[in-house]
Amino acid sequence: MANQLLGQFKEHPQSWTRVDTILEHSTHPNTKYFALSILDSLVLYRWNLLPQEQKVAIRNYLIDLIIKLSGTDESRTQNHVILAKMNAVLVQVRSPVLYIVFNAVNHNPTHHPDPKARVASSLANIRSRDYSRKQNK
């Protein structure tokens, strides 16, 4: 029941507008991570639909929150998982290509044990998709 409600909330088109409130007021790391996953989905799937002002506001909010949570060694230690997720979302906000490279380096070591090979493979996939899109136009 709870998973179903959380899934419905995450899929709601305006759920991302509550992320800041969740991050500011929640004390549980899993709740914060869930909020960041909503933001992650927004950036992945609907980023280009947002007005530029909202994109800038989201980016600046993330930067400010990362700085705030990184203020002390204790805070960095307590929030290391949340900070990693925020950084991943921020990289994605800055450049979807950088996000794909970030994921290639940090995930899926079974496909290419060498980080350089993972990045090269990801970039090759991006180029291939871009080439296919141009050919279909």
Side-chain angles (χ1 to χ4, degrees):
M1 175 77 168
N3 282 337
Q4 183 180 5
L5 289 173
L6 289 173
Q8 288 174 350
F9 176 71
K10 186 175 180 179
E11 296 301 319
H12 191 279
Q14 295 300 313
S15 62
W16 68 271
T17 62
R18 304 288 187 229
V19 168
D20 60 334
T21 304
I22 295 168
L23 290 173
E24 301 278 329
H25 298 289
S26 174
T27 56
H28 199 280
N30 288 344
T31 306
K32 290 181 180 188
Y33 196 88
F34 175 75
L36 288 168
S37 72
I38 292 170
L39 200 54
D40 191 42
S41 293
L42 170 74
V43 175
L44 267 176
Y45 302 111
R46 296 183 303 206
W47 189 248
N48 292 329
L49 301 175
L50 295 177
Q52 187 62 28
E53 309 82 50
Q54 285 181 324
K55 291 178 184 180
V56 170
I58 291 168
R59 186 195 70 215
N60 290 343
Y61 174 76
L62 281 172
I63 291 169
D64 290 345
L65 196 53
I66 288 169
I67 291 169
K68 177 182 172 184
L69 292 177
S70 301
T72 65
D73 288 339
E74 182 182 344
S75 179
R76 272 192 304 280
T77 301
Q78 283 179 326
N79 296 297
H80 73 279
V81 173
I82 301 304
L83 284 166
K85 182 67 170 174
M86 282 183 197
N87 283 320
V89 174
L90 185 61
V91 167
Q92 184 181 343
V93 163
R94 295 292 298 156
S95 169
V97 173
L98 285 176
Y99 181 71
I100 291 168
V101 171
F102 173 84
N103 277 335
V105 171
N106 291 299
H107 303 292
N108 250 343
T110 56
H111 289 101
H112 297 284
D114 177 25
K116 290 180 183 176
R118 288 196 303 266
V119 170
S121 174
S122 292
L123 289 173
N125 288 336
I126 292 166
R127 286 187 199 110
S128 174
R129 276 182 290 188
D130 287 346
Y131 180 77
S132 296
R133 287 182 190 142
K134 288 178 185 175
Q135 294 298 326
N136 291 333
K137 287 185 177 180

